[in-house]
């Protein structure tokens, strides 16, 4: 028999043997992998430049018009911020349930019901309250509306096992047409050329925080909401519970978590975010409830959530960027004549490249081997 | 040195996970047509090494030779092309698909399927191996032993002649093991080579031609099975003598901590699993539940733990009716610990770290959180202490539970369920996948708990284990307790009759 010697207790660690240059190279590579989304965006912008060229435009001029329009001056930034608010809130509506493993495809519907409830409270709650309380009631009604609409697919999922992707999506259509029907039948301003409601009282209009712009405080509330959600997931038992359900529902039951209740609460919380977006559109921007007022914020929220890799903080950045593209598109069309649909193509390509990026993951071992291999030839010198 | 040509040889294999050496200069030669056993403690690096041969991991250094020719195996497909197949420790199949579909799934170079033809060839192959398998049955309806045979069938269908089996017997019941070994013998006589990982030394002595013992990522011995014995193997594995029999004092029995009366419950498929089961466990005793797997053991454990609803009957824990309490309340208020049978699906959140898993059932309580606010520093220190006390081999408590070796995952659950000195402890197959040292440790810990006054319900299909730790045995058959007897009166014959429902 051949017994090979006992293992030495202190195994040599490879990191000690690795030369310094190698370690620096490896951290750079790791960092490059962390910026994956940025590369995806750049790749989309480069491909977009070719599209602009094809359409007979000058890419540099188009992009400078786009980015100047969105980010370069006071008014551009304020418009971008205003646009960011619903995108950010809609992305939170997707992220929260998704952490529990649930797909909320119906943020759009939750936005509409939020806007409807908020409008009703603004127009029909007697004006006896101090106006700041009335404003808070309007905002609260929006959140409540979104939450209630979100609870329907959640309850169907929890108690009947119905697929929430389908129900939440279909309920979106129900919501959009419900708002349309209510407007037509009841809420529409008499004599209006298009279905929209009366204007809300001046006292209920959200204050702005950048003077002479439309930047209403809803933007700040949206950012604050993202921060709060981030803290919830990082620091609270609620966040950990939701995450455990998302990871492994069986283990969650074993842990004593009420999976049904968490299904309901994560959807309700998400729906409330979308409802806020609806309320702010009415109270901060349009001052009325319009039929078909959302240009698809709900679906764009999915894009933002995806770009942000489900991080609430990342969503702030992603929403700001996407809002900038959308705002800048108008400026680009005005100065260079390139159609705003170009930006939609750009958005699509960004999603595509980010999705492609998911296929590339950082494998520390693999890269340490490669780096070591690169260094060998130079070591002889 | 070797007379028989080598089927596969590993030379100087090194594999690190971020600085941690899971395999450290490992060399092994597996002879053509042999059964080669790999032994080693939990976390010794056995699965890692096998994953390297199968192309799932790339070694940092070292060579692999297949039939003397140096090869690079970058993925399982290349391994398959070299005739290498593997059945994983926790294998995965598509539950809703049939046997045929599962076997065919992922076959390379097959843009168009001809399932009818595959089905016929599978029937032939199964017959040749003596498998009694219906190729049209959906996977979920098969017992786990059958599912494992489908995995083996899958490999042979792909013409694998080197089979790597990672702890295949840990999912089998004792009655399935004999036929499984017969199968291995037949495969060996047909010229196939088998690499077998197991923690059971007598299995090694029975089946293997040659044994490699690993410890801390290294090979400590390469021995002919005929030249060694269980005791020596255990010592090589653990690095010290393992005493196989535990010393025990007579139990000091107190008042009942678990009273189950006329319990009725169904399984996932709605079939009756418990048919009016009654049982009592008193403080300070270990009651073993013996029985052939699938007679209601799992449902019994889950119903007591609150994971499954009983349709009739009551469960009293420490004198209180527990029927309306959820699993966490039972743990906290009635002081009941529960080690579930399926550690990966039920017992752990594999995507979270070790620290969180140590408080999986208590993170919403002080001191780990206050008013909904989590104290991660407390969770971390707590986890470090437990990991040290229960000898969890890991890189740190921030490591994901998924990346731990199977046995160390089990230790986390045991640590969590035993540490707060429960009054009642339900343990289901607690030693599944543990190495001899760890089994020894678990049994000692359970006995220490019993001496402290905990009542323990110990569910296992391993009779030997039950005879070693239990004070009293209750035999379960068809969802009912068909006999109770003190361990001193339990003989394998008598238990055998009870377990098959042939004696009352
Ligand atoms: N993907 C991974 N990332 C980090 N560490 C890992 C990974 N896979 C394995 N390890 C570590 O490598 C060591 C060896 O693990 P391995 O699964 O090979 O052990 P094992 O011998 O199969 O043990 P067991 O008998 O418990 O199954 C363990 O300490 C484990 O924590
Ligand atoms: Mg293993």
């Amino acid at each position: 028999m051949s017994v090979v010697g006992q293992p030495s207790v202190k195994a040599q660690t490879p990191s000690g043997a690795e030369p310094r240059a190698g370690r620096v190279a490896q951290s750079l590579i790791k960092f490059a992998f962390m910026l994956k989304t940025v590369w995806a965006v750049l790749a989309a912008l480069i491909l977009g430049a070719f599209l602009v060229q094809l359409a007979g435009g000058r890419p540099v001029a188009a992009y400078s018009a786009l980015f100047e329009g969105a980010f370069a001056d006071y008014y551009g930034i304020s418009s971008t911020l205003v646009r960011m608010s619903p995108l950010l809130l809609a992305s939170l509506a997707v992220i929260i349930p998704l952490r529990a493993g649930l797909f909320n495809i119906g943020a759009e519907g939750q936005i509409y019901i939020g806007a409807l409830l908020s409008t009703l409270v603004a127009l029909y709650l007697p004006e006896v309250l101090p106006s700041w309380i009335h404003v808070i009631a309007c905002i609260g009604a929006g959140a409540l509306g979104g939450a209630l609409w979100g609870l329907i697919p959640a309850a169907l999922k929890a108690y009947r096992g119905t697929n929430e992707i389908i129900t939440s999506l279909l309920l979106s259509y129900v919501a959009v047409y419900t708002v349309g029907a209510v407007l037509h039948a009841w809420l529409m301003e008499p004599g209006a050329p298009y279905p929209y409601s009366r204007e809300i009282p001046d006292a209920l209009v959200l204050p702005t925080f950048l003077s002479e712009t439309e930047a209403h405080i809803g933007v700040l509330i949206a950012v604050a909401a993202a921060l709060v959600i981030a803290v919830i997931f990082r620091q609270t038992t609620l966040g950990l519970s939701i995450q455990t359900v998302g990871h492994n529902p069986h283990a969650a039951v074993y842990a004593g978590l009420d999976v049904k209740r968490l299904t309901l609460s994560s959807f309700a919380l998400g729906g409330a975010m979308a409802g806020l977006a609806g309320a702010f559109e009415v109270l901060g921007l349009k001052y009325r409830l319009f039929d078909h007022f959302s240009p698809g914020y709900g679906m764009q929220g999915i894009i933002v959530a995806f770009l942000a890799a489900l991080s609430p903080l990342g969503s702030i950045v992603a929403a700001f960027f996407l809002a900038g593209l959308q705002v800048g598109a108008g400026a680009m069309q005005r100065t260079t004549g390139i159609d705003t649909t170009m930006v939609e193509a750009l958005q699509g390509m960004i999603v595509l490249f980010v999705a492609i990026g998911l296929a590339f993951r950082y494998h520390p071992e693999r890269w340490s081997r490669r780096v070591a291999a690169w260094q060998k030839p130079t070591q002889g010198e | 040195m070797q007379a028989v040509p080598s089927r596969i040889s590993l030379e100087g294999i090194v594999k690190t996970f971020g600085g941690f050496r899971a395999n450290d200069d490992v060399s092994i030669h597996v002879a053509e047509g042999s059964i080669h056993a790999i032994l080693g403690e939990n976390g010794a690096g056995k699965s890692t090494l096998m994953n390297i041969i199968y192309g799932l991991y790339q070694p940092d250094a070292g060579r692999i030779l297949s039939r003397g020719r140096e090869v690079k195996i970058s993925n399982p497909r290349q391994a398959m092309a070299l005739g290498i197949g593997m059945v994983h420790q926790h294998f995965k199949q598509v539950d809703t698909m049939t046997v045929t579909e599962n076997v065919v799934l992922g076959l390379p170079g097959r843009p168009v399927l001809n399932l009818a033809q595959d089905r016929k060839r599978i029937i032939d192959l199964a017959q040749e191996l003596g498998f009694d398998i219906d190729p049209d049955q959906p996977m979920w309806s098969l017992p786990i032993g059958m599912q494992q045979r489908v995995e083996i069938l899958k490999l042979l269908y792909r013409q694998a002649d080197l089979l790597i089996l990672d702890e295949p017997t840990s999912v089998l019941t004792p009655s399935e093991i004999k036929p499984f070994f017969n199968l291995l013998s037949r495969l060996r006589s047909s010229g196939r080579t088998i690499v077998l990982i197991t923690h059971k030394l007598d299995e090694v002595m029975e089946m293997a031609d040659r044994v490699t013992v690993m410890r801390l990522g290294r090979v400590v011995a390469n021995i002919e099975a005929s030249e060694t014995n269980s005791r020596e193997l255990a010592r090589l594995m653990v690095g010290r003598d393992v005493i196989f029999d535990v010393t025990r004092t007579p139990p000091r029995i107190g008042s009942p901590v678990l009273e189950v009366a006329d319990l009725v419950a169904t399984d996932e498929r709605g079939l009756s699993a418990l048919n009016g089961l009654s049982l009592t466990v008193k403080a300070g005793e270990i009651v073993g539940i013996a029985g052939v797997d699938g007679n209601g053991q799992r449902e019994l454990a889950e119903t007591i733990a609150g994971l499954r609803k009983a349709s009739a009957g009551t469960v009293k824990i420490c004198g209180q009716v527990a029927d309306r309490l959820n699993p966490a309340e039972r743990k906290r208020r009635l002081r009941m610990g529960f080690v579930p049978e399926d550690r990966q699906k039920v017992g752990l959140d594999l995507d979270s770290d070790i620290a969180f898993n140590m408080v999986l059932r208590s993170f919403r309580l002080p001191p780990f959180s206050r008013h909904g606010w989590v104290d991660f520093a407390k969770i971390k220190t707590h986890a470090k202490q437990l990991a040290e006390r229960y000898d969890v081999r890991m890189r740190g408590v921030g490591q994901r539970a998924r990346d731990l070796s199977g046995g160390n995952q089990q230790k986390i659950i045991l640590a969590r369920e035993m540490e707060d000195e429960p009054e009642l402890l339900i343990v289901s197959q607690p030693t599944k996948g543990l190495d001899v040292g760890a089994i020894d440790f678990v049994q000692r810990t359970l006995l220490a708990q019993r001496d402290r006054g905990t009542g323990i319900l110990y569910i296992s299909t391993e009779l030997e284990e039950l005879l070693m730790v239990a004070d009293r045995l209750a035999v379960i058959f068809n969802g009912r307790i068909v006999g109770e007897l003190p361990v001193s009166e339990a003989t394998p014959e008598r238990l055998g009759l009870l377990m098959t429902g042939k004696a009352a």
Side-chain angles (χ1 to χ4, degrees):
Chain A
M1 98 176 218
S2 66
V3 178
V4 186
Q6 300 287 308
S8 67
V9 182
K10 267 190 197 153
Q12 186 193 11
T13 61
S15 56
E18 236 169 67
R20 209 181 119 78
R23 253 175 312 164
V24 172
Q26 216 183 329
S27 14
L28 283 177
I29 292 167
K30 185 174 178 189
F31 186 63
F33 268 91
M34 276 162 53
L35 293 178
K36 220 158 59 175
T37 309
V38 174
W39 305 136
V41 169
L42 283 179
L45 288 176
I46 291 169
L47 201 59
F50 284 108
L51 284 185
V52 171
Q53 192 97 46
L54 265 182
R58 296 203 338 277
V60 177
Y63 278 145
S64 42
L66 180 85
F67 288 107
E68 272 169 29
F71 305 114
D73 65 18
Y74 184 72
Y75 294 102
I77 287 181
S78 75
S79 310
T80 299
L81 286 174
V82 170
R83 187 76 172 197
M84 172 183 99
S85 158
L87 293 180
L88 176 55
L89 288 166
S91 78
L92 296 176
V94 176
I95 288 172
I96 300 165
L98 202 49
R99 290 282 187 99
L102 301 164
F103 291 89
N104 179 14
I105 310 296
E108 187 79 359
Q110 293 141 22
I111 291 173
Y112 272 88
I113 299 298
L116 176 64
L117 245 61
S118 183
T119 308
L120 291 177
V121 171
L123 294 180
Y124 292 99
L125 195 71
E127 283 178 66
V128 289
L129 295 167
S131 63
W132 64 273
I133 293 185
H134 199 163
V135 170
I136 289 173
C138 292
I139 296 175
L144 182 70
L148 288 175
W149 206 248
L151 274 174
I152 302 172
L156 285 169
K157 170 80 180 185
Y159 297 105
R160 283 278 171 276
T162 320
N163 185 325
E164 80 282 2
I165 302 178
I166 298 180
T167 50
S168 66
L169 177 65
L170 294 182
L171 278 164
S172 270
Y173 293 102
V174 176
V176 174
Y177 291 114
T178 301
V179 167
V182 171
L183 274 171
H184 275 285
W186 179 34
L187 220 53
M188 187 166 153
E189 168 138 58
Y194 179 82
Y196 52 73
S197 71
R198 270 192 291 132
E199 210 170 86
I200 58 169
D202 281 346
L204 299 184
V205 168
L206 293 181
T208 58
F209 64 96
L210 296 175
S211 57
E212 290 173 49
T213 71
E214 290 178 323
H216 53 81
I217 55 160
V219 177
L220 302 181
I221 297 176
V223 172
L227 297 175
V228 169
I229 301 296
V231 170
I232 286 179
F233 278 118
R234 223 164 269 192
Q235 282 295 336
T236 69
T237 53
L238 175 66
L240 275 187
S241 303
I242 288 180
Q243 184 174 300
T244 307
V245 174
H247 284 168
N248 180 351
H250 294 285
V253 173
Y254 171 61
L257 302 177
D258 188 337
V259 174
K260 286 191 172 78
R261 225 194 60 201
L262 287 164
T263 299
L264 297 178
S265 48
S266 66
F267 245 99
L269 196 57
M273 295 296 135
L276 280 180
F280 295 157
E281 286 300 289
V282 173
L283 302 171
L285 198 61
K286 306 245 165 76
Y287 316 134
R288 304 172 188 270
L289 180 64
F290 281 86
D291 198 10
H292 291 291
F293 68 88
S294 157
Y297 290 132
M299 288 297 159
Q300 289 166 21
I302 299 175
I303 299 180
V304 174
F306 177 66
L307 280 185
L310 301 191
S311 145
L313 296 181
S315 262
I316 301 176
V317 179
F320 184 69
F321 177 71
L322 223 57
L325 284 188
Q326 294 177 2
V327 167
M332 179 179 77
Q333 187 171 24
R334 277 194 302 279
T335 50
T336 64
I338 293 169
D339 200 83
T340 50
T341 48
M342 163 68 203
V343 163
E344 279 167 38
L346 212 52
Q347 278 184 25
M349 287 189 292
I350 290 172
V351 171
L352 193 67
F353 279 111
V354 171
I356 291 172
L358 293 180
F360 296 91
R361 287 199 300 159
Y362 177 67
H363 296 284
E365 312 100 54
R366 200 173 292 169
W367 280 102
S368 77
R369 252 181 295 124
R370 276 183 208 162
V371 168
W374 292 337
Q375 283 186 318
K376 270 202 191 105
T378 53
Q379 269 169 6
E381 295 172 351
Chain B
M1 226 164 61
Q2 246 128 5
V4 196
S6 143
R7 173 62 185 86
I8 192 124
S9 294
L10 306 176
E11 291 180 358
I13 297 288
V14 176
K15 177 70 189 169
T16 57
F17 292 109
F20 173 83
R21 295 210 161 195
N23 287 150
D24 192 1
D25 192 17
V26 174
S27 299
I28 295 177
H29 300 277
V30 179
E32 184 96 52
S34 69
I35 295 183
H36 192 119
I38 311 246
L39 267 177
E41 285 180 292
N42 297 126
K46 307 179 295 292
S47 298
T48 304
L49 192 65
M50 296 305 115
N51 285 332
I52 288 175
I53 305 181
Y54 193 50
L56 284 170
Y57 291 152
Q58 300 304 308
D60 299 341
R63 307 197 302 157
I64 303 176
L65 294 97
S66 174
R67 295 212 165 89
R69 197 165 52 86
E70 180 165 353
V71 289
K72 185 171 170 343
I73 307 173
S74 317
N75 55 49
R77 188 155 289 195
Q78 287 179 4
M80 273 293 169
L82 292 167
I84 303 169
M86 176 161 174
V87 178
H88 289 273
Q89 197 168 355
H90 306 275
F91 56 84
K92 291 194 174 67
Q93 291 158 329
V94 187
D95 270 358
T96 49
M97 301 210 315
T98 65
V99 170
T100 305
E101 287 164 346
N102 265 289
V103 169
V104 175
L105 192 71
L107 269 178
R110 294 278 293 268
V112 183
L113 282 179
N114 183 348
L115 277 180
Q117 194 190 337
D118 284 312
R119 182 175 173 280
K120 250 185 68 205
R121 299 224 312 257
I122 288 166
I123 294 176
D124 290 346
L125 184 58
Q127 220 155 36
E128 196 185 314
L129 297 166
F131 286 0
D132 182 21
I133 287 183
D134 174 0
D136 303 321
Q137 272 206 299
M139 218 60 203
W140 60 261
S141 67
L142 298 178
I144 187 110
M146 259 326 170
Q147 294 183 7
Q148 187 183 55
R149 291 182 163 204
V150 174
E151 278 299 286
I152 293 173
L153 201 61
K154 202 162 148 181
L155 303 188
L156 297 175
Y157 199 68
R158 287 160 173 69
Q159 252 99 60
D161 67 311
L162 170 61
L163 306 182
I164 302 171
L165 310 175
D166 196 350
E167 295 192 33
T169 53
S170 67
V171 298
L172 298 180
T173 59
S175 58
E176 288 171 321
I177 286 179
K178 196 78 212 155
F180 176 73
F181 281 168
N182 290 338
L183 168 68
L184 293 192
S185 301
R186 259 176 289 142
L187 290 173
R188 172 172 52 185
S189 6
S190 68
R192 276 131 177 157
T193 310
I194 293 162
V195 177
L196 176 73
I197 297 183
T198 178
H199 289 296
K200 298 186 183 135
L201 302 172
D202 44 343
E203 291 180 357
V204 174
M205 295 312 299
E206 189 182 337
M207 292 304 300
D209 299 305
R210 209 173 157 77
V211 191
T212 295
V213 183
M214 292 182 70
R215 185 140 61 89
L216 303 174
R218 293 191 156 207
V219 172
V220 290
N222 261 313
I223 325 172
E224 290 296 321
S226 55
E227 289 173 11
T228 183
N229 56 53
S230 306
R231 201 162 278 267
E232 183 187 37
L233 287 177
R235 201 188 60 236
L236 285 167
M237 243 172 90
V238 188
R240 60 174 164 89
D241 269 311
V242 182
I243 306 128
F244 277 111
D245 43 9
V246 265
T247 43
R248 29 184 315 164
T249 50
R252 281 193 321 243
I253 294 175
S255 51
V257 288
L258 173 69
E259 293 154 276
V260 173
D262 306 316
L263 209 57
V264 179
T266 54
D267 65 12
E268 267 80 49
R269 282 166 256 170
L271 306 175
S272 75
L274 300 179
N275 302 306
L277 186 146
S278 301
L279 178 76
T280 302
V281 177
K282 300 202 179 95
E285 68 167 348
I286 299 182
V287 177
I289 297 281
V292 178
D293 198 27
N295 272 289
Q297 289 97 325
R298 195 158 65 91
E299 289 78 8
L300 174 63
E302 290 182 357
T303 314
I304 297 172
L307 290 172
R308 185 180 291 274
K309 266 212 168 67
S311 42
T314 53
V315 173
K316 269 196 200 168
I317 298 170
C318 301
Q320 288 189 51
V321 178
D323 300 336
R324 308 187 69 96
L325 298 177
N326 77 30
E329 289 165 334
R330 291 183 197 207
K331 177 171 165 66
R332 182 172 79 236
R333 283 208 238 142
L334 307 180
R335 309 193 48 70
M336 182 203 72
F338 174 44
V339 177
E341 180 182 331
D342 192 333
R343 58 176 171 240
Q344 296 211 323
K345 207 163 123 194
V346 179
L348 293 170
D349 173 0
L350 290 176
D351 293 313
S352 288
D353 60 13
I354 294 169
F356 177 69
N357 273 289
M358 290 282 199
V359 293
L360 179 66
R361 307 229 284 155
S362 53
F363 70 90
R364 293 182 303 157
L365 303 171
F368 305 119
S369 64
R370 270 175 221 285
H371 312 297
W373 210 253
V374 182
D375 186 341
F376 285 105
K378 281 246 168 57
I379 290 179
K380 214 168 144 185
T381 20
H382 170 80
K384 276 186 187 150
Q385 282 165 2
L386 276 191
E388 172 142 2
R389 190 137 41 95
Y390 286 81
D391 190 26
V392 180
R393 306 283 171 86
M394 53 173 193
R395 270 158 48 202
V397 292
Q399 192 183 346
R400 263 199 330 174
R402 189 181 293 285
D403 296 337
L404 278 180
S405 77
N408 283 298
Q409 291 177 343
Q410 183 73 341
K411 287 189 198 167
I412 293 186
I413 301 178
L414 287 165
R416 182 184 63 210
E417 298 306 313
M418 297 204 292
E419 50 100 20
D420 58 357
E421 315 207 316
E423 303 278 344
L424 169 66
L425 193 55
I426 315 289
V427 291
S428 237
Q429 314 279 13
T431 60
K432 199 162 84 177
L434 294 190
D435 65 51
V436 281
I439 291 177
D440 186 60
F441 172 78
V442 168
Q443 296 185 336
R444 275 170 210 285
T445 317
L446 284 174
L447 281 171
Q449 293 274 333
R450 150 197 183 260
D451 293 341
R452 244 200 65 246
T454 305
I456 299 175
L457 187 68
Y458 192 112
I459 302 174
S460 175
T461 48
E462 310 265 342
L463 274 187
E464 251 177 72
E465 219 175 285
L466 288 174
L467 292 172
M468 200 134 81
V469 284
D471 299 303
R472 190 153 65 82
L473 287 182
V475 180
I476 191 169
F477 175 72
N478 210 356
R480 225 180 263 152
I481 299 297
V482 290
E484 287 191 40
L485 60 176
V487 163
S488 52
E489 291 169 24
T491 59
E493 293 74 39
R494 203 163 153 205
L495 288 173
L497 284 177
L498 285 167
M499 279 162 55
T500 47
K502 294 202 182 91

